[in-house]
Amino acid sequence: MSEETGYIDKFNMIEAYLPAMIKFMDKHGMHAFEDAVAEGAFQQISFMYRHASEHLRTTERFEEIQGAFIKAFERNAE
């Protein structure tokens, strides 16, 4: 949370969710992560991964996580 504004900024959101996403992928596998994302898991940050900033692109396992969000979006669009 930003001390100046009192709001959660996008960088803090990623820092909050990234460990949980990585833990989920390591424990359950990528296919299960993709299914979970398609069913609405981590939806609070889905837009950030589908329209990634340069900063987000430097985070751990970005390509895997972004791929899951894009696949989920495409799956749900059908």
Side-chain angles (χ1 to χ4, degrees), residues 57-72:
R57 293 175 190 278
T58 66
T59 58
E60 186 177 356
R61 296 175 76 174
F62 168 76
E63 290 84 12
E64 293 174 87
I65 297 170
Q66 184 190 43
F69 280 102
I70 290 170
K71 285 180 184 176

Side-chain angles (χ1 to χ4, degrees), residues 1-3 6 8 10 18 28 33 44 47 53-54 58 68-69 75:
M1 180 176 295
S2 171
E3 293 180 14
I8 297 174
K10 62 183 176 183
L18 188 58
H28 302 287
F33 180 72
Q44 300 86 342
F47 186 83
S53 67
E54 289 302 314
T58 66
F69 280 102
R75 220 164 99 179

Side-chain angles (χ1 to χ4, degrees), residues 3-4 10-11 15 17 20 27 31 53 60 67-68 70 76:
E3 293 180 14
E4 293 176 17
K10 62 183 176 183
F11 301 120
E15 290 176 9
Y17 284 99
K27 184 174 183 179
H31 186 71
S53 67
E60 186 177 356
I70 290 170
N76 289 330

